[in-house]
Amino acid sequence: MAREPIPTWYYALVVVRLGDQFLLVRERQHGQLWYLPAGRVEAGEAMAEAALRETLEESGIPVVLEGILRIEHTPVPGGARLRVIFLAGPADDTPPKRTADEHSLEAAWVSLEDLAGLPLRGGEVRDLFHAVAGGAAVYPLSLLGREE
């Protein structure tokens, strides 16, 4: 007897680092708080593609993915969430967007010290930035392979 599939929602989150600064996005949703560039992976889209797309849409900055910081799987009632947290750097010197649109209100480069004065969506932002600044392990992008 076949089992029912488990509905799973996939998300790509991106920690973007430029020297001693990190990229934050002020979200249109979630109380207009500051958070990482992030979003749900669309049907037919690879996790890495979603990371690049979401970062560009929300911050206006094209990035180059450098690796994976963490993969999280969380069972939730009626399904599961899977999040991949990528590490990236800016592809060029494009400044963060300052004009609100349907994706976000604005984006900014911030230092670790700046975080104390910003309303963050979650403590994980601070934890991730401090971990990266402290030399957290970064796993190769090849960790996310495709079935052959």
Side-chain angles (χ1 to χ4, degrees):
M1 177 177 197
R3 293 188 217 176
E4 289 294 316
I6 300 169
T8 304
W9 293 266
Y10 296 84
Y11 296 90
L13 293 79
V14 187
V15 174
V16 185
R17 184 178 188 183
L18 176 62
D20 64 349
Q21 295 190 311
F22 294 87
L23 184 64
L24 282 180
V25 172
R26 192 159 64 101
E27 298 183 308
R28 180 169 286 289
Q29 303 174 16
H30 308 291
Q32 300 182 353
L33 301 174
W34 291 89
Y35 196 60
L36 306 171
R40 192 159 42 185
V41 179
E42 296 176 357
E45 185 177 45
M47 297 292 287
E49 293 168 344
L52 296 171
R53 176 184 53 75
E54 287 289 347
T55 304
L56 184 60
E57 287 175 354
E58 294 183 359
S59 72
I61 296 178
V63 297
V64 175
L65 299 178
E66 298 173 358
I68 296 169
L69 294 168
R70 187 162 54 210
I71 299 173
E72 301 172 340
H73 177 264
T74 306
V76 296
R81 286 173 24 122
L82 190 132
R83 301 186 335 163
V84 176
I85 304 172
F86 292 91
L87 178 64
D92 57 31
D93 60 356
T94 301
K97 77 175 181 184
R98 296 286 182 206
T99 304
D101 60 22
E102 69 273 17
H103 301 291
S104 64
L105 299 175
E106 63 180 314
W109 290 108
V110 299
S111 68
L112 293 176
E113 294 77 30
D114 295 333
L115 291 177
L118 293 173
L120 300 175
R121 180 171 151 196
E124 72 181 328
V125 172
R126 187 176 297 102
D127 295 344
L128 285 165
F129 287 3
H130 280 280
V132 169
V138 179
Y139 302 94
L141 293 169
S142 62
L143 188 64
L144 287 176
R146 290 184 177 258
E147 289 182 39
E148 301 261 339

